[in-house]
Amino acid sequence: MDSNKEQLLNPSPTYEHERFRRSYDARESLDLDSDLDATEFLQSDPLTSSKPTAAFSTKPRNRWLRKPCGCLAGRSTRCIIGCLGVFALVWLALGAGGFFAFKKYKQTPPNGLSPPWYPTPKGGTARSWADSYRKASEMVAKMTLPEKVNVTTGTGWKMGPAVGNTGPAIHVGFPALSLQDGPLGIRFADNATAFPAGVTVGATWNKQLMYEWGNAHAIEARKKGVNVILGPCIGPLGRMPAGGRNWEGFGADPYLQGIAAAESIRGIQEEGVMATIKHFVANEQEHFRQPWEWGLPNALSANIDDRTMHELYLWPFGDAVKAGVASVMCSYNMINNSYACGNSKLLNGLLRDEMGFQGFVMSDWLAQRSGVATALAGLDMTMPGDGLLWEDGKSLWGPELTRSVLNGSVPLDRLNDMVTRIVAAWYQLGQDDETKFDRKGPNFSSWTDEPEGVFAPGSPTEQETVPVNQYVNVMGDHASLARQIAAEGTVLLKNEGLLPLTRGASTQPNETRRRDGPLQIAIFGEDAGPGEGPNHCPDRGCNQGTLASGWGSGSVEFPYLVTPAEALAKSWDGNESVKVSTYLTNKPPFAKQPEILRDAQLCIVFANADSGEGYKAWEGVKGDRPDLFLQKGGDDLIVQVAQGCHGGDGEVLVVIHTVGPVVMEKWIDHPNVKAVLLANLPGQESGNALTDVIFGDVKPSGKLPWTIGKTLDDYGEGAKIMYMPNGVVPQQDFKEGLFIDYRHFDKYSIEPRFEFGFGLSYTTFEFTDCVVKELKGKSQLPAPRPKDFAVPPEYDTSIPNEEEALFPNDFRKLEKYVYPYLDTIDDIVSDPYPYPDGYDVQQPLSGAGGEEGGNPDLWEVYVTVSVNITNTGDRIGKVVPQLYLEYPEGDPKVEFPVKVLRGFDKLLLEKDETKTVTFNLTRRDLSYWDINAQNWAMVTKGEYKFLVGRSSRDLPVSGTW
């Protein structure tokens, strides 16, 4: 059997990193006592500094470096000279060796077993895109070479109003495109909504809200003049619970991520704005995610086997492609020792051939690491346009792409496909309609809040001052949607009769306790209050005040933030039977003022855990969290309050805002902790949404989008962040395969604190009568791949006249701005280009492909599963039925997870009402990736089992097929 088929995406076991890894392993280095964290090499924020800090400008913390050596301590001149001489010799020896080693390993490593897949499949084959490609081909055929390059290359960082700006093709009427960060809202914009984070949306388990979240975001983006939203985010998937950017996605399960991505993409694109699904793929941690950000010349390599890649990390991207997503953003990291934005197997083989992707691939900002090679591997647009460093203006494309076409190294056929894909996406979303997109660009600036400024603030060239901010308010009534999402995304983890509270005199939860005077309620914790304001730190890069968002490029400027303390106080405002005291600190003066706790009858305590993108660090959180504990002493605060509230017999409500799972073992079983709410990251309506749930205006219906374990070890070795590199090119082997989050807990029979999909309600539900209906019979492989619906556009492929690539006469250049033009054509030489191995090998088409989203048979419904659900409680409520699939035993050589999520819904049920929910299971849902057949395969022997219930470990009804 072909080894490439056995583990198609695995790194070679003989890869050279094994040889040099030992030299850089901290355990075997001479620096045995070092506790230097590699994250000390964190660069400055590219938004606030145009130059990176020195890569190794950190204070050594080794004991032997903190104390002077013996001769230096004695201040003997001869000893000092001798020591300095020895030091100089050692320095020269190490310096010489280090220079050659560094020079060697700063090069991109070999590609391992990420095999070549060339040439790039052309777009325009799918039925749903055929008309857009026809229009695009007519426009592209009229473009000059510089215009084509302009469309594919960003103009540079801060070289336009958006975070990403392309150049126009003026003569054919194609505008410059503006790309702006999401996915929580419009980054750097004024008068725009700060929506709940992706993880909060995922916790709603509500498909309609997922759609509306995307749609509202797009409405605001369009009204701000944005063409492309850089969201939604489904990578990272959530392999590591402490991963810094997990909160931008929807949860640690590929099915949940895929459904949420598809719904939000439909919402975005039905408004005419292009969605960008990111980050493709396996960008699971922030440490070492990209070159130089952590002091290393190369990014981490995520080494993943073929089956795991398909069933976990690629799965939600398949849903995104099926939903018609316009753009895919390739990630910073390497996959099997090939950078994502230059990995032909990923971009050409998996994304385009297998999944049938019709849109364009853009790089993450500075994720492009080569020029010609990335074009050949399937990259279509480079962002922000600069080359290997921020704001250097030295693009790997731009004029270099023009030159590469003229000298024949990049086939004009490939450039034509790149441009056509971008223009087709523009037509596909209806952006040629000038009543919706006026072609004037954004009406705000990402770089200044002032009404006037320069067009390209990243250029030192003198420019005229022009209006840059029009302060257009685009929020509409989206606050109500943000509030609803935040409320439905709040998960009730524990409730021993405390919730819901009431606003009246009977607020006292334990009515049997006699009391004199008003009910004493005390609110504790910095997380309940405003702190220094929600926008105090750039890109929300610190944990202060109530936590409503993580940090990084996925964050937004808050127009306002309703704090929990403010909303709770307002709820009891004017009620003389209730007295509310607030202590908005994690260190209340309990010792000096014991009455704070002693007098309180109901204590509400807040705590949080924050993280974000790797270019920023806050205290010990350098992108990824260092552990799963609450931050800023949150656990200790909860314990103190639980022990002391009303002298030890008060009732305590704990509220947690967090970017991901937190360990709760210090206090979760304390008898005075009567209720726990996990409010995730709620956005601007934080306090209002929380009070809606606390007082029962909205019945809790959120479900955990990941598992809460009792320790980090519970998640397995693969769930742990690599905080120290294991080589100059860090190698992260995904040895756990399919078994992450609840799949790992199930496989090893580990009891979680709260399982995936868990969440309580104020009412109860009963599940009965599971009925399985076959619509199509089992068969091992899907139907044969269909023929393409349409033929991709064809163009004249003769090399253009070199003269058209020159700068126009009297052209005024902006320094560092990326143009497509050349200063001279005298140096263009058409020497044979060293094309990568396999470039001239025609690849067989995948049986898993054939249309947008893959083989159409994969999306056919083969089985339906119906269940009756009855509200057996005394309140109205929303139920989230979840369907999990158990595969037949089948081939003993193929290991399956104990169960996998394959369906969910959300229903509103009145008291005593019964409704029937039906799940449609597609062939894809019922299949696994067969590494031998290189296709999605069904298990034809044995019985599939479908389990339905309230969470991954509460599944009362089942059926078989």
Side-chain angles (χ1 to χ4, degrees):
M1 181 175 62
D2 187 342
S3 62
N4 282 354
K5 290 186 178 181
E6 182 176 3
Q7 288 193 317
L8 192 60
L9 296 169
N10 246 354
S12 169
T14 59
Y15 172 55
E16 193 174 6
H17 87 267
E18 292 294 337
R19 185 168 63 82
F20 68 73
R21 174 185 288 181
R22 291 187 295 273
S23 301
Y24 289 89
D25 192 315
R27 293 170 297 181
E28 297 192 26
S29 72
L30 295 177
D31 191 12
L32 293 176
D33 294 326
S34 175
D35 60 351
L36 182 67
D37 187 338
T39 60
E40 296 288 343
F41 305 148
L42 186 66
Q43 279 191 194
S44 61
D45 178 9
L47 300 184
T48 57
S49 172
S50 59
K51 295 183 179 180
T53 56
F56 298 95
S57 57
T58 183
K59 289 185 178 181
R61 292 181 283 186
N62 299 39
R63 184 172 299 173
W64 67 275
L65 285 174
R66 288 201 297 264
K67 296 181 179 180
C69 67
C71 68
L72 291 176
R75 298 185 181 181
S76 163
T77 302
R78 294 175 64 184
C79 280
I80 292 174
I81 294 174
C83 287
L84 290 175
V86 171
F87 176 78
L89 289 173
V90 172
W91 183 84
L92 286 171
L94 292 177
F99 169 77
F100 290 112
F102 180 78
K103 182 177 180 181
K104 177 179 180 180
Y105 291 121
K106 75 178 182 180
Q107 304 298 323
T108 302
N111 284 348
L113 281 182
S114 188
W117 210 108
Y118 299 99
T120 301
K122 294 180 181 179
T125 59
R127 179 188 301 270
S128 57
W129 285 70
D131 190 53
S132 296
Y133 267 87
R134 179 188 58 77
K135 295 176 182 177
S137 65
E138 294 173 0
M139 177 179 282
V140 173
K142 301 173 185 176
M143 288 185 183
T144 64
L145 175 59
E147 286 181 319
K148 293 176 181 178
V149 171
N150 234 11
V151 172
T152 65
T153 306
T155 56
W157 186 244
K158 296 185 181 179
M159 297 299 180
V163 297
N165 308 274
T166 64
I170 296 175
H171 297 103
V172 296
F174 188 77
L177 299 181
S178 298
L179 298 77
Q180 198 71 6
D181 277 306
L184 275 69
I186 309 173
R187 188 186 185 195
F188 296 144
D190 57 87
N191 294 310
T193 305
F195 290 101
V199 69
T200 312
V201 178
T204 69
W205 292 61
N206 187 324
K207 298 175 186 177
Q208 182 62 30
L209 288 183
M210 294 167 180
Y211 169 88
E212 292 179 13
W213 177 74
N215 188 248
H217 187 177
I219 290 171
E220 296 194 6
R222 182 179 60 78
K223 291 181 177 179
K224 283 289 188 180
V226 172
N227 299 94
V228 185
I229 288 175
L230 304 178
C233 175
I234 53 175
L237 175 63
R239 174 184 186 244
M240 305 169 190
R245 298 183 76 178
N246 290 350
W247 58 272
E248 294 185 42
F250 303 104
D253 178 81
Y255 185 89
L256 176 61
Q257 287 261 33
I259 295 297
E263 292 296 335
S264 56
I265 287 166
R266 291 187 185 100
I268 291 169
Q269 297 196 162
E270 284 186 14
E271 186 59 27
V273 178
M274 299 185 215
T276 304
I277 199 70
K278 63 182 186 181
H279 304 86
F280 190 71
V281 62
N283 186 174
E284 294 295 312
Q285 69 168 57
E286 292 304 287
H287 282 68
F288 322 121
R289 65 173 184 154
Q290 65 173 317
W292 299 118
E293 190 174 65
W294 303 88
L296 297 176
N298 272 297
L300 174 149
S301 177
N303 302 322
I304 309 176
D305 69 87
D306 187 19
R307 186 179 170 202
T308 299
M309 177 64 83
H310 280 84
E311 292 187 35
L312 278 189
Y313 300 98
L314 287 181
W315 181 282
F317 286 93
D319 289 286
V321 173
K322 180 65 175 176
V325 70
S327 177
V328 171
M329 181 189 291
C330 50
S331 54
Y332 286 118
N333 57 296
M334 287 189 275
I335 295 91
N336 302 326
N337 293 293
S338 176
Y339 278 103
C341 293
N343 190 315
S344 64
K345 176 62 182 178
L346 282 177
L347 303 185
N348 293 339
L350 301 182
L351 181 63
R352 289 187 171 91
D353 179 46
E354 277 188 25
M355 295 187 194
F357 177 58
Q358 299 296 302
F360 61 95
V361 176
M362 75 168 75
S363 71
D364 203 340
W365 271 226
L366 261 63
Q368 183 189 29
R369 306 310 297 171
S370 60
V372 173
T374 54
L376 300 179
L379 186 66
D380 302 308
M381 178 187 287
T382 179
M383 278 290 143
D386 301 287
L388 299 176
L389 297 173
W390 291 97
E391 295 185 67
D392 66 354
K394 300 176 181 178
S395 182
L396 294 169
W397 281 2
E400 296 304 320
L401 181 56
T402 301
R403 187 187 311 276
S404 297
V405 171
L406 292 176
N407 67 25
S409 52
V410 173
L412 185 58
D413 201 39
R414 171 80 266 263
L415 176 62
N416 286 337
D417 180 59
M418 292 155 59
V419 182
T420 304
R421 285 176 172 272
I422 297 168
V423 177
W426 182 73
Y427 275 117
Q428 183 77 354
L429 275 297
Q431 294 193 6
D432 56 323
D433 182 352
E434 295 189 48
T435 63
K436 284 191 171 183
F437 294 87
D438 60 15
R439 308 193 186 186
K440 297 178 181 178
N443 51 41
F444 69 98
S445 171
S446 298
W447 319 116
T448 179
D449 294 328
E450 299 299 319
E452 294 188 334
V454 296
F455 173 77
S459 173
T461 302
E462 184 177 352
Q463 302 167 57
E464 65 174 335
T465 300
V466 295
V468 292
N469 280 308
Q470 299 176 32
Y471 309 108
V472 178
N473 190 320
V474 296
M475 293 187 284
D477 64 349
H478 294 156
S480 61
L481 175 63
R483 182 171 179 168
Q484 183 183 0
I485 293 171
E488 286 205 25
T490 297
V491 184
L492 179 61
L493 295 178
K494 181 178 180 179
N495 189 25
E496 296 180 352
L498 178 60
L499 299 179
L501 301 178
T502 64
R503 294 179 174 86
S506 61
T507 298
Q508 172 66 27
N510 187 344
E511 294 297 342
T512 62
R513 181 184 303 148
R514 296 188 62 183
R515 57 184 172 84
D516 297 321
L519 172 66
Q520 302 285 335
I521 298 176
I523 299 172
F524 299 97
E526 180 183 319
D527 184 64
E532 299 294 327
N535 300 323
H536 177 66
C537 295
D539 280 348
R540 316 297 75 79
C542 62
N543 186 353
Q544 59 85 38
T546 191
L547 184 66
S549 164
W551 73 68
S553 62
S555 64
V556 296
E557 303 297 310
F558 279 77
Y560 63 84
L561 175 55
V562 179
T563 68
E566 173 190 353
L568 285 168
K570 184 177 180 181
S571 296
W572 284 301
D573 188 34
N575 187 345
E576 295 182 358
S577 64
V578 176
K579 180 181 179 182
V580 180
S581 302
T582 56
Y583 306 92
L584 305 181
T585 172
N586 284 12
K587 296 181 179 179
F590 293 141
K592 292 183 179 180
Q593 298 175 260
E595 68 277 7
I596 290 175
L597 278 175
R598 184 185 63 230
D599 295 345
Q601 296 160 300
L602 172 63
C603 297
I604 307 177
V605 57
F606 289 78
N608 65 34
D610 197 4
S611 70
E613 195 168 353
Y615 67 84
K616 279 188 171 292
W618 166 78
E619 295 189 0
V621 185
K622 297 162 184 177
D624 306 304
R625 288 185 286 163
D627 52 51
L628 298 186
F629 297 112
L630 293 169
Q631 295 165 1
K632 307 184 80 169
D635 289 300
D636 293 337
L637 174 64
I638 295 171
V639 171
Q640 285 180 295
V641 172
Q643 291 175 343
C645 185
H646 203 252
D649 67 357
E651 297 185 300
V652 178
L653 165 61
V654 176
V655 180
I656 303 297
H657 291 111
T658 180
V659 291
V662 291
V663 173
M664 304 176 175
E665 297 309 295
K666 291 183 179 180
W667 47 265
I668 190 64
D669 286 328
H670 195 287
N672 292 342
V673 174
K674 300 299 183 183
V676 178
L677 284 169
L678 186 83
N680 292 297
L681 300 174
Q684 68 185 38
E685 288 289 321
S686 173
N688 288 336
L690 182 65
T691 56
D692 286 343
V693 175
I694 286 176
F695 292 106
D697 303 328
V698 174
K699 309 303 183 289
S701 61
K703 300 288 182 177
L704 288 178
W706 20 249
T707 301
I708 295 180
K710 296 179 180 179
T711 69
L712 176 58
D713 288 339
D714 284 351
Y715 295 85
E717 284 301 312
K720 296 179 179 179
I721 301 290
M722 181 190 290
Y723 296 106
M724 290 294 293
N726 57 11
V728 175
V729 184
Q731 300 292 309
Q732 190 166 69
D733 300 332
F734 287 39
K735 294 179 181 179
E736 73 285 348
L738 302 175
F739 301 98
I740 68 168
D741 200 77
Y742 70 90
R743 300 169 181 225
H744 171 85
F745 281 78
D746 287 349
K747 178 179 180 179
Y748 296 101
S749 301
I750 299 170
E751 186 67 27
R753 170 53 66 177
F754 297 109
E755 70 268 21
F756 176 82
F758 178 82
L760 299 174
S761 174
Y762 291 158
T763 187
T764 56
F765 302 98
E766 181 182 28
F767 291 70
T768 58
D769 305 323
C770 182
V771 177
V772 178
K773 182 179 180 182
E774 177 182 283
L775 301 184
K776 291 190 174 185
K778 297 175 185 175
S779 57
Q780 183 183 5
L781 298 177
R785 175 176 176 147
K787 294 182 179 179
D788 292 340
F789 174 79
V791 177
E794 294 291 339
Y795 303 93
D796 180 2
T797 57
S798 57
I799 302 291
N801 187 328
E802 295 177 350
E803 297 288 336
E804 73 177 38
L806 292 171
F807 272 98
N809 295 329
D810 302 321
F811 189 92
R812 183 176 182 269
K813 303 179 189 176
L814 295 178
E815 187 179 347
K816 295 187 178 181
Y817 193 96
V818 178
Y819 297 102
Y821 302 110
L822 300 175
D823 290 307
T824 179
I825 54 176
D826 295 339
D827 57 351
I828 295 177
V829 179
S830 298
D831 289 333
Y833 183 78
Y835 289 105
D837 292 340
Y839 183 75
D840 56 354
V841 177
Q842 187 68 35
Q843 298 292 329
L845 298 180
S846 171
E851 249 295 345
E852 192 172 29
N855 190 317
D857 192 24
L858 293 173
W859 300 94
E860 290 291 315
V861 176
Y862 273 63
V863 180
T864 64
V865 179
S866 300
V867 173
N868 291 331
I869 308 173
T870 302
N871 183 345
T872 56
D874 57 4
R875 300 172 185 268
I876 188 175
K878 288 185 177 180
V879 61
V880 179
Q882 303 165 40
L883 181 145
Y884 294 82
L885 177 151
E886 287 185 8
Y887 286 92
E889 292 184 5
D891 186 347
K893 296 180 182 179
V894 180
E895 184 179 16
F896 293 104
V898 173
K899 57 182 172 292
V900 293
L901 180 69
R902 285 295 183 263
F904 66 88
D905 207 339
K906 197 162 194 174
L907 308 172
L908 177 66
L909 292 176
E910 300 284 348
K911 178 185 175 182
D912 298 325
E913 183 181 9
T914 298
K915 287 185 179 178
T916 300
V917 61
T918 299
F919 302 97
N920 295 322
L921 284 95
T922 66
R923 181 181 189 98
R924 179 173 178 252
D925 294 329
L926 299 160
S927 299
Y928 71 99
W929 182 255
D930 187 324
I931 61 174
N932 298 316
Q934 283 297 290
N935 207 335
W936 292 99
M938 248 186 218
V939 182
T940 56
K941 296 180 180 179
E943 288 187 330
Y944 284 83
K945 188 174 183 179
F946 308 108
L947 306 98
V948 182
R950 305 168 188 85
S951 73
S952 62
R953 294 206 170 187
D954 183 2
L955 302 164
V957 297
S958 64
T960 59
W961 176 54

